[in-house]
């Protein structure tokens, strides 16, 4: 065996089998956490003898710390999909040199790595790999769908029709009548910008690393972008420099009637400031579609809950069949390569 791997949260549904086959095909010794598997009993029966099993809540810090130590055996690597927090205390326990197999690699089936303390990982000799771009098209499509849902009032109209109300709202503006501001022009931001421009929207962009994109006019400051956008879509990673990027001052700079879409990370926006803006009929922000939150999963709580002009979804923008499959299989390949001492071409996240 080239390495012992703990799957904290495996690919869902039928993709679980493909992910396990890929990992086992690399000769890895796999332990599968059954907590988020749809049919644990059937999975045990189907894979008995080929891998080991555990059943734990990965968001429980003490449980996760004990699990990764595994009675002193330890794991060479672990794979995460849902953003389980892996902070300094956990990393210290997982890399204890008294373990038979101290942690060497963390694999993230997805692009974001803000759930990992990258500085602590580097200090303790843990390599963190991820799958940038694996869900870019999925998230871009989802963001575009949220924009259409907000601008065309689809949720309100659906609710009214289900109640038997034949409403006649004021005419909506089409995409060709709107200016879309894209914050962050990485893979996802570019994918959204290209799609929106192809549908006739005027697209403005602001990025820390400007790049030429056909049909996108790039502005030199976030403030200018805010003031010029009818719809603002966020596509930045969460870092110390981007946390709280949009607070009360920034939200007040938006155009009257503006809409905000966040499919990136919850910490980019001050949720309390956003909720206050949406409750204030005099505020320029008229509505928001939010897929990512400061607190998620079992800890989910948001001041946006219950606001009629907030369209909320549970961090599912990147959850298409193709995106999840690509992320899972690429992550498996990255883990195997790193554990085998073949880092060439493997993306690594750094602090």
């Amino acid at each position: 065996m080239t390495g012992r791997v703990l799957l904290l949260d495996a690919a869902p549904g039928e993709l679980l089998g493909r992910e396990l086959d890929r990992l086992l095909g690399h000769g890895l010794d796999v332990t599968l956490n059954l907590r988020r598997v749809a049919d644990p009993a059937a999975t045990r029966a189907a894979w008995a003898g080929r891998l080991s099993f555990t059943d734990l809540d990965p968001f429980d810090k003490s449980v996760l710390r004990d699990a990764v130590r595994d009675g002193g055996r330890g794991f060479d690597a672990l794979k995460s999909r849902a953003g389980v927090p892996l902070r300094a205390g956990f990393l210290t326990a997982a890399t204890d040199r008294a373990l038979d197999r101290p942690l060497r690699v963390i694999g993230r089936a997805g692009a974001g790595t803000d759930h990992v303390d990258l500085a602590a990982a580097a200090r303790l000799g843990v390599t963190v790999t991820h799958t940038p771009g694996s869900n870019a098209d999925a998230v871009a499509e989802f963001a575009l769908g949220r924009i259409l849902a907000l601008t065309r009032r689809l949720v309100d109209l659906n609710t009214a029709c289900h109640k038997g109300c034949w409403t006649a709202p004021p005419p909506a503006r089409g995409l060709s009548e709107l200016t879309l501001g894209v914050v962050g022009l990485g893979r996802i931001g570019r994918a959204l910008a290209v799609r929106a421009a192809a549908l006739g929207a005027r697209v403005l962009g602001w990025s820390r690393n400007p790049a030429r994109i056909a049909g996108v006019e790039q502005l030199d400051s976030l403030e200018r972008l805010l003031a010029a956008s009818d719809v603002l879509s966020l596509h930045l990673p969460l870092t110390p420099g981007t946390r709280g990027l949009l607070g009360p001052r920034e939200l007040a700079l938006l155009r009257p009637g503006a809409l905000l879409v966040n499919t990136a990370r919850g910490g980019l926006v001050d949720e309390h400031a956003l909720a206050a803006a949406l409750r204030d009929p005099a505020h320029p922000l008229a509505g928001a579609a939010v897929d990512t939150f400061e607190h998620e999963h079992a800890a989910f709580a948001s001041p946006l809950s219950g606001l009629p002009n907030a369209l909320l979804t549970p961090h599912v923008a990147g959850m298409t069949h193709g995106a999840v499959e690509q992320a899972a299989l690429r992550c498996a390949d990255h883990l195997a390569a790193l554990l085998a001492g073949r880092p060439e071409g493997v993306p690594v996240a750094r602090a």
Side-chain angles (χ1 to χ4, degrees), residues 12-331:
E14 63 181 290
L15 296 177
L16 169 62
R18 295 208 62 193
E19 179 178 42
L20 293 176
D21 277 332
R22 181 64 67 92
L23 288 164
L24 294 172
H26 283 301
L28 298 173
D29 180 2
V30 178
T31 296
L32 170 64
N33 180 24
L34 294 167
R35 182 59 59 95
R36 301 182 69 195
V37 172
D39 191 339
T43 300
R44 277 184 180 273
W47 294 90
R50 299 184 63 191
L51 54 130
S52 302
F53 302 96
T54 187
D55 190 339
L56 63 99
D57 177 3
F59 290 92
D60 186 318
K61 294 179 182 178
S62 60
V63 168
L64 182 58
R65 240 187 342 259
D66 290 342
V68 79
R69 294 180 65 85
D70 195 28
R73 294 183 67 195
F75 289 91
D76 298 284
L78 64 83
K79 175 258 181 177
S80 170
R81 178 171 61 86
V84 174
L86 305 175
R87 305 306 183 197
F90 164 81
L91 292 167
T92 298
T95 56
D96 187 342
R97 298 306 171 188
L99 296 173
D100 292 340
R101 292 177 177 270
L103 186 68
R104 295 187 282 140
V105 178
I106 292 173
R108 159 77 157 134
T113 55
D114 50 279
H115 64 299
V116 182
D117 186 332
L118 295 177
R123 185 174 67 250
L124 294 166
V126 178
T127 301
V128 180
T129 182
H130 57 149
T131 60
S134 58
N135 64 359
D137 288 342
V139 177
E141 290 171 3
F142 189 89
L144 185 58
R146 300 300 89 179
I147 292 168
L148 291 169
L150 288 174
T151 57
R152 301 303 295 269
R153 299 182 57 196
L154 299 184
V155 176
D156 292 342
L157 295 173
N158 173 70
T159 300
C161 274
H162 275 287
K163 292 180 178 179
C165 299
W166 192 265
T167 59
R173 285 189 292 171
L175 284 179
S176 62
E177 303 169 75
L178 297 171
T179 297
L180 169 64
V182 180
V183 180
L185 293 170
R187 292 176 175 87
I188 298 172
R190 290 198 301 269
L192 172 62
V194 169
R195 284 164 169 77
L199 292 174
R202 179 191 180 207
V203 181
L204 306 178
W206 175 78
S207 177
R208 298 165 300 168
N209 301 300
R212 292 182 61 85
I213 303 171
V216 179
E217 177 186 346
Q218 297 195 44
L219 302 186
D220 58 7
S221 73
L222 176 61
E223 289 74 15
R224 286 187 62 202
L225 185 75
L226 294 170
S229 300
D230 298 306
V231 182
L232 190 75
S233 192
L234 305 182
H235 301 285
L236 288 173
L238 181 61
T239 67
T242 62
R243 180 174 290 279
L245 184 73
L246 297 188
R249 184 185 75 85
E250 290 78 17
L251 293 173
L253 295 176
L254 290 164
R255 279 183 172 180
L259 303 169
L260 172 67
V261 176
N262 185 8
T263 56
R265 285 294 184 268
L268 296 174
V269 183
D270 180 336
E271 283 184 33
H272 290 279
L274 178 57
L278 293 174
R279 284 194 294 265
D280 181 0
H283 197 280
L285 185 67
V290 180
D291 185 57
T292 56
F293 302 85
E294 184 72 25
H295 303 288
E296 299 187 345
H297 297 281
F300 174 66
S302 174
L304 301 170
S305 298
L307 296 181
N309 51 350
L311 176 57
L312 310 183
T313 48
H315 205 151
V316 294
M319 293 288 289
T320 64
H321 186 284
V324 174
E325 179 181 40
Q326 183 179 161
L329 298 184
R330 283 175 57 189
C331 185

